[in-house]
Amino acid sequence: MEKLEVMLVGSANMDLVIRAPRFPEPGETLTGSTFQTFPGGKGANQACAAAKLGSRVKLVAKLGSDAFGDSLMGSLTECGVICSSIYRDTDVSTGVALITVDDSGQNTIVVSPGTNALLSAEEVDQAFGGSPGKVVLSQLEIPLETVIAAAQNAAESVFILNPAPARQLPDDLVKLVDVITPNETEAHSLTGILPTDHASCQAAAEALLSRGAKHIIITLGGRGCYYAGPNGHRHFPAFPVQPIDTTAAGDAFSGALAMGLARGWSMESAIQFAAVAAALSTTKMGAASSMPTFSEVEAALRV
Ligand code: ADP
């Protein structure tokens, strides 16, 4: 059997999006227009990103035994993600995000984590079963002890933590991290330093290096990303595109980075590839559906 490249431990949600002329007042019922459902959750998005790029990716996650769970299983399978370690709970519903988008494009979001909050450290240990994959990738939409279990199981692998959404991390976890990929907000919340320019990026990265993380990549949206690690530090510019929807750009970046590092690429090559994959994901609507294929990234690099 082909070796697993990326073991992804994370969340999967169904996003329920309704468009309305404005947001309702408390107690008001408002008539909106279109309603759409989108597979989401940072774990599922990053798994799809790596799988669409051709990586052998297994997702360790938990869904409910409901229609949203079935639908997410379908979309993950369609992306090429290995779903044999996706647990199904019979009592709690699949995680959902209720999103209202108003006519000006602003949104309000209420998330029910559902089964994502139930994925346990024991289930992670069981899913790894001694074959972790070359890269293990996790985020923070599942319990912290579950993320720590993923990191511990990754002792022989490269452990990438995308620390999203922002929350404080214990030093014991940061020490186990090979590569951490915060965006500006997450870097600010982790270090107290808002990375706006070269000096503040360097200060935020050094704060994370001093806590024991080995490589730091602060993603800066349309301004690219800042890298710091054992071989120095540098800024990588963004790949120029005309973005139409930047949802899940960070997910595309972390998924693609995992794919590259699992193939044994240098950190520099993996970051450059991830920057192109993330940029291309902003040129299409949606999350999982906007992730590019390997040949689309190659074609963009040739132009
Ligand atoms: P998040 O989605 O987690 O907030 P960022 O917005 O920092 O993450 O985006 C992650 C990466 O996606 C960036 O480092 C960059 O490589 C790419 N990216 C994001 N926005 C753009 C853009 N407007 N143009 C080109 N690349 C982009």
Side-chain angles (χ1 to χ4, degrees):
M1 203 178 72
E2 242 184 293
K3 195 164 162 30
L4 193 66
E5 291 179 303
V6 180
M7 186 76 140
L8 214 142
V9 181
S11 59
N13 284 330
M14 190 58 90
D15 291 349
L16 312 179
V17 184
I18 194 161
R19 289 196 163 262
R22 60 178 172 80
F23 300 121
E25 300 295 332
E28 182 187 11
T29 299
L30 191 65
T31 302
S33 55
T34 56
F35 170 69
Q36 285 173 292
T37 59
F38 297 100
K42 294 178 192 301
N45 289 346
Q46 294 179 21
C48 278
K52 281 180 79 173
L53 290 166
S55 220
R56 257 183 82 76
V57 188
K58 186 191 256 196
L59 177 63
V60 185
K62 190 175 261 192
L63 301 172
S65 303
D66 46 20
F68 291 145
D70 292 345
S71 169
L72 286 170
M73 284 297 268
S75 62
L76 286 161
T77 307
E78 208 174 295
C79 282
V81 176
I82 302 166
C83 296
S84 52
S85 290
I86 296 187
Y87 298 90
R88 307 288 298 262
D89 190 90
T90 48
D91 298 325
V92 174
S93 54
T94 299
V96 291
L98 285 184
I99 303 172
T100 309
V101 182
D102 77 3
D103 276 350
S104 71
Q106 300 254 78
N107 59 32
T108 62
I109 306 178
V110 183
V111 175
S112 166
T115 42
N116 291 307
L118 302 184
L119 182 66
S120 70
E122 293 71 32
E123 285 163 335
V124 169
D125 291 344
Q126 188 192 345
F128 273 75
S131 54
K134 293 177 187 154
V135 168
V136 175
L137 170 59
S138 198
Q139 317 77 24
L140 302 175
E141 286 183 334
I142 52 173
L144 207 48
E145 54 279 14
T146 310
V147 179
I148 293 170
Q152 287 166 340
N153 275 286
E156 306 292 317
S157 314
V158 175
F159 179 62
I160 307 177
L161 180 64
N162 174 231
R167 77 196 224 191
Q168 296 308 313
L169 298 177
D171 282 335
D172 285 352
L173 173 58
V174 180
K175 278 196 196 93
L176 297 174
V177 173
D178 293 304
V179 188
I180 191 163
T181 59
N183 67 10
E184 289 147 297
T185 318
E186 291 140 13
H188 185 210
S189 135
L190 285 170
T191 65
I193 301 162
L194 183 65
T196 50
D197 56 10
H198 192 85
S200 50
C201 281
Q202 191 172 346
E206 267 161 21
L208 288 165
L209 287 170
S210 71
R211 289 183 65 191
K214 292 181 198 64
H215 301 266
I216 321 297
I217 304 170
I218 303 174
T219 64
L220 304 164
R223 292 184 294 128
C225 69
Y226 178 88
Y227 166 82
N231 304 320
H233 54 87
R234 70 169 271 206
H235 172 254
F236 289 81
F239 184 76
V241 287
Q242 291 288 342
I244 58 164
D245 177 17
T246 58
T247 311
D251 291 338
F253 187 94
S254 286
L257 183 80
M259 179 254 149
L261 294 178
R263 299 257 159 115
W265 296 356
S266 69
M267 182 60 78
E268 190 180 11
S269 303
I271 292 174
Q272 277 162 345
F273 184 88
V276 180
L280 292 184
S281 80
T282 72
T283 62
K284 286 191 193 155
M285 292 298 292
S289 54
S290 73
M291 302 301 176
T293 61
F294 193 90
S295 46
E296 284 169 338
V297 177
E298 269 190 326
L301 277 167
R302 271 200 300 270
V303 176

